[in-house]
């Protein structure tokens, strides 16, 4: 389970004016739509289930999912597909293997043609609609790079976290990776970032990607701290537990007129019901 590391919340970003993101229109009335973002934690990681895995792991700082984690991720994708009232257009994912595996299972569940309701993983998916969505690796969604999240004896000795991006991209259905997508962060965060710097990073990723693709709904697959930060900031609560594959669900109003797009403030919504996030109000002691 994920434990809280910080209760310091930055101010929420105010309405943003995004210029020249859509074709000009002579219509004097603005077009109003909603943009939706899901911020999702990865599935069950092997080192939390089998601590002995660390003794022989070549990359102990980058644990993969266990089988139950893959199943949980796929079923979360099924739940997203059946319960939300909007399509997912793009998926951005942390380069850590547990997040890529999680995103791969979710993408398969979202894009499967004639999905079998009894399917439990991507291995049960026979056919994919590759036009459904696009996937990109996003360094800004990476784990918090400090000793709070990664023990010094587990981190790389040189503190450089390296990933073979082509191998990670190969885990997604062929043709679904968008190599033209512009990331919020073009390289990994530096080791030793503070909790506040990490908080700012996650919120910056949300706003940067949302503003870059204001007409699209996004799924961001990340780590517990990313979900905690996002949910706590926009709902203005104290989050104390994040389950595996928990989702923070955000929505904002987007108005387009004459070539400019104005985006409102994000709000937390709960179309997915119980999202696996436990919190209590900043002004009361009652738990949610």
């Amino acid at each position: 389970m994920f434990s809280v590391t910080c209760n310091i919340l930055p101010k929420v970003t105010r309405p943003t004016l995004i210029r020249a993101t859509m074709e000009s229109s002579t219509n004097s009335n603005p077009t109003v739509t909603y943009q939706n973002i899901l911020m999702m934690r990865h599935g069950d990681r092997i080192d939390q289930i089998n601590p002995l895995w660390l003794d022989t792991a070549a990359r102990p700082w980058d644990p993969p999912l266990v089988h139950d984690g893959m199943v949980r991720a796929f079923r979360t994708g099924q739940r997203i597909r059946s319960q939300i009232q909007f399509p997912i257009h793009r998926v951005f994912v942390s380069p850590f293997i547990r997040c890529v595996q999680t995103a791969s299972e979710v993408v398969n569940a979202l894009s499967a043609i004639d999905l079998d309701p009894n399917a439990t993983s991507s291995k049960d998916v026979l056919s994919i609609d590759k036009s459904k969505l696009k996937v990109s690796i996003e360094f800004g969604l990476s784990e918090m790079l400090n000793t709070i999240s990664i023990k010094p004896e587990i981190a790389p000795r040189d503190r450089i976290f390296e990933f073979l991006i082509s191998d990670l991209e190969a885990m997604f259905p062929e043709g679904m990776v968008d190599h033209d997508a512009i990331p919020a962060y073009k390289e990994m965060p530096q080791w030793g970032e503070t909790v506040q710097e990490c908080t700012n990073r996650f919120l910056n990723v949300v706003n940067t990607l949302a503003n870059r693709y204001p007409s699209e709904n996004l799924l961001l697959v990340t780590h517990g701290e990313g979900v905690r930060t996002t949910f706590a900031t926009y709902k203005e609560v104290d989050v104390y537990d994040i389950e595996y594959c928990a989702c923070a669900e955000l929505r904002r109003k987007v108005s387009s007129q004459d070539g400019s797009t104005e985006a409102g403030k994000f709000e937390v919504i709960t179309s997915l019901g119980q999202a696996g996030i436990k919190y209590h109000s900043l002004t009361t002691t009652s738990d949610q």
Side-chain angles (χ1 to χ4, degrees), residues 42-46 63-67 69-70 73 97-98 101-102:
H42 58 76
D44 314 47
R45 47 191 283 181
I46 192 171
L65 300 184
V66 294
H67 175 72
M70 304 281 274
I97 189 66
R98 57 190 180 274
Q101 290 175 318
T102 299

Side-chain angles (χ1 to χ4, degrees), residues 76-89:
T76 301
Q78 289 176 309
R79 187 160 60 92
I80 292 172
R81 175 172 176 157
S82 64
Q83 292 185 19
I84 65 174
Q85 302 300 312
F86 53 85
I88 297 294
H89 300 104

